[in-house]
Amino acid sequence: MKVRPFITGATAAALGALLLLAGAPTEALASAEAVSPPTISQALALYGASPLAGELGECAASAVRLGADPAALADFIAGAGADNRPDRDLLALLRRAERLAGLRLPVEPVLSRYRQGFAKGIPFARIETVVDGLEARLMEAARYLDETLSAPADHEGQRARLTAIDHGAYALGVGVPGGTVERAIRLAVHERRPVDAAQAPVLALGVMAASG
């Protein structure tokens, strides 16, 4: 199955604006915004009775320290707890999130893929196999990007790098050759454009490939 890249905050904001233009009730939108998202500790409370509770907390905290988005991680844990996902599955997932964050790779696309698998009732072992492939593509896309562009120092630049990696992994996943992805990144650099400029051409390659 071909899955689009993880939607970033900016894209979500744009979609929200489109909903407003389409006549979505502002009361409903305001009500949704008023709900405070859970913290990681609140989300992990659902696994408080688990013998793995300590390890779950340590992995989640480590993943956040290494760069994972705490809000995204907390939201995922809360959803897993509400769906009664086994604690051992969540621990394996959090260990992966910790590893990805330590490698400076995006965690949210992986959470999204797990969530899709859970929603479809796919066995965890099969989801893990799919996510293994996604992780490999994220690593490949990161290699192309980091061999071409200097590591950004500011937070916005770091987020742009992660988004570009996500787009690169998507392009690789729908069949765009690695050399083509790398050339698109090098072209952006040749034009002296910042790291976020690599997002659009790489994503365009993936969308064209997915569209046939």
Side-chain angles (χ1 to χ4, degrees):
M1 182 182 68
K2 298 174 182 176
V3 181
R4 300 280 174 168
F6 176 80
I7 296 177
T8 63
T11 304
L15 290 175
L18 287 174
L19 287 173
L20 284 172
L21 289 172
T26 55
E27 296 84 357
L29 292 173
S31 176
E33 291 175 355
V35 177
S36 298
T39 64
I40 287 181
S41 60
Q42 289 170 336
L44 284 172
L46 296 169
Y47 290 91
S50 165
L52 300 178
E55 290 182 77
L56 291 170
E58 290 172 6
C59 277
S62 177
V64 170
R65 282 195 302 270
L66 291 168
D69 181 2
L73 204 58
D75 181 66
F76 184 90
I77 295 170
D83 291 340
N84 296 314
R85 300 299 312 178
D87 52 2
R88 64 183 180 278
D89 291 357
L90 182 61
L91 181 59
L93 185 154
L94 289 176
R95 284 174 174 164
R96 187 189 294 270
E98 180 184 21
R99 182 174 67 252
L100 290 171
L103 293 170
R104 297 173 55 243
L105 295 173
V107 174
E108 288 92 338
V110 169
L111 298 181
S112 177
R113 192 61 58 89
Y114 276 113
R115 187 178 283 111
Q116 292 166 17
F118 292 164
K120 294 181 179 180
I122 298 173
F124 188 74
R126 285 180 55 197
I127 299 174
E128 285 277 81
T129 300
V130 171
V131 176
D132 285 343
L134 173 57
E135 182 175 335
R137 293 190 295 275
L138 289 169
M139 293 179 69
E140 183 178 356
R143 186 174 71 252
Y144 295 145
L145 193 69
D146 294 340
E147 287 176 352
T148 307
L149 291 165
S150 300
D154 62 295
H155 178 72
E156 288 301 316
Q158 292 167 6
R159 293 299 302 174
R161 173 185 171 275
L162 294 177
T163 300
I165 291 171
D166 178 22
H167 291 175
Y170 170 69
L172 293 168
V174 296
V176 177
T180 303
V181 173
E182 186 176 17
R183 283 194 296 274
I185 295 171
R186 289 188 181 279
L187 178 60
V189 175
H190 179 70
E191 295 175 354
R192 297 185 179 181
R193 301 166 72 189
V195 62
D196 55 349
Q199 297 173 14
V202 172
L203 180 58
L205 287 172
V207 171
M208 287 189 292
S211 301

